[in-house]
Amino acid sequence: LQKLKAAGLDALRMNLVARDYDLSPVREALAVFPEFAVEIPAVPSQLARQKKLILELESLGVPYLNLHELFVSPENAARMAVEGYAAADAGHRHLIWRPVPESGEAALKLLLFALRHTRRLSAYYCSCGTQETISRRGLARRESSTVP
């Protein structure tokens, strides 16, 4: 982390789901990066665990939490079906990725929980549409920089 900071990185984001909500990397990162965000998908079946996490992040002094809406894409459709999630079609035909309605509802519940139970933690909802827009922008940037 110190090498990243020395190289000019001034902020860091971390998704805690990949390590089953292990907070030890968060503690380490906060010591080096005051501009630090935690990102997690809003998973309806993990709502209670994620509410507890919000309180833990507040206690640690994490400034930002990004809640990502789950989505179904061609790449993850089979796994999402196994998990019991289906895409919303109505009103989202313009998107390649389709939002999972239960995840959007879970994200809103988590935002409300954070609003009521934290003072410093700033929580943000990143919808499926926002995620797709950001990804498309990044892909376009990458493609334009590799064209001779």
Side-chain angles (χ1 to χ4, degrees):
L1 292 172
Q2 292 293 349
K3 287 181 181 180
L4 292 172
K5 180 92 170 178
L9 191 66
D10 63 355
L12 192 63
R13 289 183 289 176
M14 187 177 294
N15 188 322
L16 296 185
V17 174
R19 292 181 52 140
D20 195 31
Y21 301 102
D22 177 11
L23 292 171
S24 56
V26 173
R27 290 182 189 91
E28 292 175 32
L30 279 171
V32 179
F33 294 99
E35 282 293 310
F36 180 74
V38 166
E39 298 189 344
I40 60 171
V43 181
S45 64
Q46 296 180 11
L47 199 59
R49 175 65 186 103
Q50 292 182 335
K51 286 180 178 179
K52 181 181 176 216
L53 175 69
I54 286 171
L55 298 176
E56 292 169 328
L57 296 176
E58 169 77 2
S59 172
L60 288 172
V62 172
Y64 307 107
L65 171 65
N66 293 335
L67 299 164
H68 293 274
E69 181 178 31
L70 292 176
F71 60 83
V72 176
S73 69
E75 295 80 14
N76 76 358
R79 175 151 187 236
M80 294 301 278
V82 168
E83 297 290 330
Y85 297 119
D89 287 326
H92 301 284
R93 297 250 180 235
H94 63 288
L95 296 174
I96 295 171
W97 301 346
R98 300 288 169 82
V100 173
E102 301 89 349
S103 178
E105 292 170 19
L108 294 176
K109 288 176 183 176
L110 291 169
L111 283 175
L112 186 58
F113 181 85
L115 179 66
R116 290 180 174 160
H117 295 90
T118 66
R119 294 193 178 270
R120 296 177 305 244
L121 183 66
S122 178
Y124 172 77
Y125 172 48
C126 191
S127 70
C128 172
T130 300
Q131 292 175 67
E132 185 173 308
T133 299
I134 291 168
S135 293
R136 283 182 183 180
R137 208 178 308 147
L139 182 59
R141 219 177 325 184
R142 248 191 327 249
E143 288 174 348
S144 69
S145 68
T146 59
V147 175

